[in-house]
Amino acid sequence: AYAAAAQPQEEGARFARHRDTALSADVGIVAVMRAFDRTQADELAVVDTGRRPIGVLTEAFVRRRYAEELEKKQLEMLGERFAGEE
């Protein structure tokens, strides 16, 4: 975490927003996207079962990966249709 007024001995939690919203590593994409929509956050923490932080997800990354996977599935469906027309 970065904050101009932060002291090295301070806990990072002091600067956290959306403390009540954290993502677990096994949550699905729909729940992740809903969490971003609900909080309007750009980043959300990913926590383990003990609620210790293990990473961060950004909304931009999540939405980009979702769009890539959606496009891939659409191309696969079109490819199958085109292959069946031959």
Side-chain angles (χ1 to χ4, degrees):
Y2 172 80
Q7 299 299 314
Q9 68 276 11
E10 289 183 279
E11 287 189 28
R14 174 177 171 244
F15 304 101
R17 295 183 187 160
H18 309 293
R19 292 179 193 200
D20 58 337
T21 303
L23 306 169
S24 65
D26 61 350
V27 71
I29 187 67
V30 173
V32 170
M33 290 172 55
R34 284 184 181 150
F36 278 111
D37 289 342
R38 185 178 64 254
T39 62
Q40 295 296 300
D42 294 327
E43 300 173 333
L44 289 173
V46 180
V47 297
D48 65 13
T49 55
R51 295 203 42 91
R52 291 179 301 264
I54 57 174
V56 174
L57 270 178
T58 65
E59 182 181 21
F61 175 78
V62 169
R63 300 223 185 255
R64 183 176 62 245
R65 287 291 297 133
Y66 183 77
E68 288 170 359
E69 288 299 315
L70 186 59
E71 181 179 18
K72 185 174 143 182
K73 292 294 181 192
Q74 289 173 338
L75 290 174
E76 286 174 5
M77 287 173 42
L78 288 173
E80 289 176 13
R81 187 171 58 187
F82 290 139
E85 292 177 359
E86 294 177 359

